[in-house]
Amino acid sequence: MNHPIPRPLPVPDPRAGDIAPDYAGMDALLAGLVVPRQASMYVMSALETSRELIRHSYYRYEFATVAVTHSLFALEHVLTERLGVEAPLQGLIERAADTGLIPAELAAGLDRSRSLRDGLARGTASSAALRPLMAVVMVRAVFDAVSLLLRPPSAAEATAAEENGTPREERLAGLWEEHLRAPYPDGFRGVGIAGVELILLDADTAGLVLTELNGGLDDRGVASLWSCIAQLDKVVPLIDSQYCASYFAKLRTMAKLAAARDVPAAEI
């Protein structure tokens, strides 16, 4: 009688480093990734699979990056249902932040995950892009966002929704006052990302917004503001500081509101 040859047991991936003393130790790393009770079966499956992919990154390093990209299936599904629109994920994240459904800081983290997914699709990032610990941080952001989005509408959200009826000038003035009170991120003076000097982008965008507040931009000014917005769209997902990413995400929101009266045809 032939006996099956036993398969060798999996061995830890040396690239994973000292993330856990053994496979069972991964439980502590993932303890905070709890699927919201209100989640549908589809969302629950996507989130649970993402969590288990991180667990198995103990044996296969690349699973950490795959976990982040897989979690975005759940995020996109919930955002589409909550917002009631079909749009690319980047637009859904921005709209959720602009309407107060999720904080700007959280939106910036989600957009970094979206940027990673797009990089994988284009071949500009690899499946070994993330360490498991960073994957936990990014997947936790998705878990947190889904939990917020699945909550019943709150009084704060109702107030945010009512602001849609507030004149654009008043909303823009309020955002400008918030921007003036926010300190520029420490450590990011003289720093460039993807060929964009952050402090110059901040100054250029703020100057154009102020011009809009003080009487209105001309056609050249509007074109310049949309150029700044395009640069903000490019750099915000790449910023690895939570406060800095939030600062520039809020700057982008303000710039888009300032340019709202002159939306390019492709944006309509």
Side-chain angles (χ1 to χ4, degrees):
M1 180 177 179
N2 293 328
H3 295 284
I5 300 174
R7 294 183 178 180
L9 294 174
V11 296
D13 192 320
R15 295 172 296 172
D18 299 325
I19 57 173
D22 51 31
Y23 180 68
M26 296 293 287
D27 289 345
L29 188 67
L30 305 174
L33 300 180
V34 179
V35 178
R37 288 182 297 176
Q38 315 95 307
S40 66
M41 289 299 296
Y42 175 85
V43 172
M44 184 183 302
S45 175
L47 293 179
E48 287 180 344
T49 299
S50 300
R51 183 182 61 205
E52 295 311 305
L53 282 165
I54 297 177
R55 189 189 308 277
H56 290 292
S57 69
Y58 181 82
Y59 295 119
R60 183 67 183 182
Y61 187 83
E62 284 82 357
F63 286 174
T65 300
V66 178
V68 174
T69 60
H70 193 84
S71 71
L72 296 180
F73 293 136
L75 177 66
E76 189 163 7
H77 182 82
V78 173
L79 281 170
T80 299
E81 285 196 339
R82 188 60 187 269
L83 294 169
V85 296
E86 295 279 352
L89 182 56
Q90 182 176 6
L92 292 172
I93 293 171
E94 290 177 9
R95 184 172 298 198
D98 291 345
T99 56
L101 288 173
I102 55 177
E105 295 89 344
L106 183 55
L110 297 172
D111 206 38
R112 284 196 291 275
S113 296
R114 189 274 315 164
S115 180
L116 171 63
R117 183 198 66 180
D118 292 353
L120 287 167
R122 293 192 300 266
T124 58
S126 78
S127 295
L130 293 178
R131 297 180 63 244
L133 289 176
M134 180 54 68
V136 172
V137 172
M138 297 174 81
V139 170
R140 181 176 288 118
V142 173
F143 272 69
D144 290 345
V146 168
S147 182
L148 286 173
L149 292 164
L150 290 177
R151 290 178 182 176
S154 64
E157 286 179 28
T159 300
E162 289 173 2
E163 288 181 356
N164 290 332
T166 304
R168 183 184 72 98
E169 292 77 10
E170 290 184 24
R171 285 185 286 146
L172 183 58
L175 290 173
W176 176 252
E177 290 301 319
E178 291 180 15
H179 180 73
L180 291 179
R181 292 193 297 268
Y184 187 83
D186 288 338
F188 284 86
R189 299 181 186 279
V191 173
I193 294 179
V196 177
E197 190 82 12
L198 292 184
I199 197 166
L200 294 181
L201 178 58
D202 177 45
D204 290 345
T205 305
L208 290 164
V209 170
L210 183 59
T211 300
E212 175 65 14
L213 282 167
N214 288 339
L217 293 163
D218 58 18
D219 290 345
R220 178 176 295 180
V222 169
S224 297
L225 184 55
W226 279 107
S227 177
C228 289
I229 291 168
Q231 292 182 71
L232 287 163
D233 285 341
K234 179 169 67 172
V235 302
V236 167
L238 304 177
I239 299 173
D240 59 4
S241 160
Q242 185 175 19
Y243 175 75
C244 186
S246 171
Y247 179 92
F248 280 93
K250 290 177 181 177
L251 181 67
R252 178 175 62 187
T253 297
M254 181 174 65
K256 286 189 173 183
L257 185 59
R261 64 183 177 86
D262 292 282
V263 181
E267 297 280 297
I268 296 176

